[in-house]
Amino acid sequence: MDRTIRLNDTNVRENPAVWSHDPSMMWDPVSRKYYSYSTDVYRPESGLDKEKGIPVRCSEDLVRFRYEGTVLSEKAVREAADNGNYPEAPGFWAPFTEYVNGEYRMYYSATKAFGSSESRIWLAVSDDPLGPFENRGVVMDTWGTDDTYPNGIDPHIVWDEEKCWLIYGSFFGGIYVKELDPDTGMPADRDPRSLGKCISRKSPDAVTDGPEGAAVIYVPETGYYYLFQSYGWLGDDYDIRAGRSRSITGPYLDVKGRDLMECSMGLKIAGSYCFRSENPNVKFTGNGWEWGGIRGPGHGVPFYDPVSERYFFVHHFRDGASVNRDYDEEMERASYEIHYMMVRPMFFVNDWPVLGPEPYQGEKFEPLSPDRLTGTGEGVTFEEGDNGMRISHEENAETSDALPGECVIYRCQDFENGGDVAAVTGVNNSGLAYWKKFMYSKF
């Protein structure tokens, strides 16, 4: 089976996974297709259209995607880009789309400038997932507030049995939940300036930026709401973390029972990592590109696929090749410039979410028993307070500590090397998420 994420190929029409930033995913029950909407990204080499308006990619199997263009109408773009006396918004961020009451509702962000906490979340609607989407109005508005307030950005929608809720915010004031009118998708109190309730915020002495890129999903099999969020610098050491609660409005706790309100960043279920790769799937290798692992997986959205009846998680990541690395002397930080969309399977271990070590490639997730694992493999463990690159270490399938704590073992495609591999994902006895890969007995 071909790997559908091709590194070092920056033309989105030939390689649809590239240039997807802050991706979301929607299953459309009408067309029976998947649609992934993402932040506006335009590069000379990208092959993307030059106009603003929320790019969308479409798939019939959640593996192979097509770039379909942008979906906001010209009128919607003019309205949302208007920043008054300030320069217009250069693009729109972090869209989330769902099909409700016979219409497609897209929530997206427009901000004063990169790094600003003054932003707005718009709701646009359409009768087609490919648009055009027309603005219905502003759902959240933090224009004119200072950095102690939440940022009106990164929208995500979650429903309980009766109500519709907006999840939004970033590291300025934290992550908030706000009730919406389920009939219109607009604020239930009709006030785009009302904040709602804070459910996650970094501690006062935190040294890592975050949280941001938040999303919540309810999982009936466990009875929990799960809050996913990202910490770190998006250009390098971004990550994905999770907490859980019995209520949409919290409190959300980590695996050790600590509150995500100023006490914990959450269970880290993905961060920068590097498995060995002898056969990376690339288009060009003559420009100094060498395999450098996966940098900064983050800003992810969990979703349930009614076709396979399984849970997945879509996020962006950065190509870790050093040729794509820029270093900001003033900020003293690196940025890896080329980013891609990745869809991973999501499982639950002791009612905690864990992600597959490899991107989804259409596997049926054949479970494997531990006694079928063979030989020497490799693994990474995601340390709670260390967002540096995790270089895989050698693992022996026959040692007593090969599978610590609870885990899921299944057969899948090896993204780094091709062929089949036994993937292991779990949470160890210290409350840390880990990934491992082994060969396995065919019989």
Side-chain angles (χ1 to χ4, degrees), residues 127-394:
D127 59 5
D128 190 295
L130 295 179
F133 282 79
E134 301 289 351
N135 289 329
R136 177 167 288 168
V138 175
V139 177
M140 189 64 228
D141 186 352
T142 59
W143 194 269
T145 61
D146 63 37
D147 289 355
T148 64
Y149 281 77
N151 191 4
I153 203 165
D154 295 351
H156 187 259
I157 302 298
V158 60
W159 293 72
D160 62 15
E161 293 180 354
E162 300 178 353
K163 297 179 180 180
C164 176
W165 302 84
L166 170 71
I167 309 297
Y168 76 96
S170 71
F171 56 84
F172 289 106
I175 305 301
Y176 279 67
V177 57
K178 173 176 175 172
E179 185 179 348
L180 302 181
D181 181 341
D183 293 328
T184 65
M186 298 295 288
D189 59 7
R190 301 185 180 182
D191 182 6
R193 303 284 288 184
S194 64
L195 301 181
K197 179 184 178 182
C198 188
I199 56 175
S200 180
R201 184 165 52 216
K202 66 181 179 181
S203 66
D205 58 351
V207 296
T208 304
D209 278 341
E212 61 182 13
V216 170
I217 189 173
Y218 177 70
V219 177
E221 294 87 344
T222 68
Y224 283 102
Y225 292 91
Y226 294 91
L227 169 62
F228 298 86
Q229 56 188 17
S230 290
Y231 272 83
W233 164 236
L234 64 85
D236 183 5
D237 59 3
Y238 224 33
D239 65 21
I240 302 169
R241 297 174 183 260
R244 70 184 188 186
S245 174
R246 294 295 187 184
S247 168
I248 283 180
T249 57
Y252 286 88
L253 308 179
D254 72 3
V255 71
K256 298 180 180 179
R258 298 171 299 184
D259 200 324
L260 269 58
M261 278 290 293
E262 302 187 353
C263 295
S264 172
M265 295 185 287
L267 170 66
K268 184 161 68 170
I269 58 175
S272 297
Y273 68 97
C274 185
F275 283 124
R276 297 188 297 270
S277 181
E278 298 179 359
N279 182 30
N281 191 9
V282 298
K283 182 175 182 180
F284 304 106
T285 56
N287 62 345
W289 189 95
E290 292 183 359
W291 169 250
I294 302 297
R295 291 274 178 176
H299 199 124
V301 173
F303 64 99
Y304 176 75
D305 174 29
V307 178
S308 64
E309 299 182 332
R310 289 188 174 276
Y311 290 92
F312 292 90
F313 197 90
V314 59
H315 63 85
H316 66 241
F317 73 93
R318 281 171 157 71
D319 181 349
S322 59
V323 70
N324 299 319
R325 181 180 184 269
D326 287 336
Y327 190 79
D328 188 321
E329 297 287 349
E330 182 178 352
M331 298 296 292
E332 296 184 341
R333 67 186 182 191
S335 288
Y336 290 81
E337 297 300 311
I338 301 179
H339 47 80
Y340 305 78
M341 175 180 72
M342 183 181 288
V343 178
R344 293 183 189 268
M346 183 166 68
F347 309 94
F348 292 87
V349 171
N350 284 340
D351 293 345
W352 282 99
V354 291
L355 303 181
E358 305 286 49
Y360 176 58
Q361 292 287 278
E363 295 90 354
K364 301 301 181 183
F365 302 109
E366 173 191 339
L368 296 175
S369 62
D371 58 10
R372 291 184 63 184
L373 304 182
T374 63
T376 301
E378 56 182 321
V380 295
T381 300
F382 295 110
E383 300 293 338
E384 180 179 320
D386 181 358
N387 266 27
M389 169 70 85
R390 314 307 297 176
I391 305 296
S392 70
H393 52 270
E394 188 173 286

Side-chain angles (χ1 to χ4, degrees), residues 22-43:
D22 312 322
S24 62
M25 191 69 68
M26 178 190 71
W27 160 252
D28 177 22
V30 179
S31 67
R32 299 190 64 80
K33 296 178 181 179
Y34 304 90
Y35 293 89
S36 179
Y37 304 84
S38 63
T39 291
D40 287 337
V41 175
Y42 304 106
R43 299 287 182 92

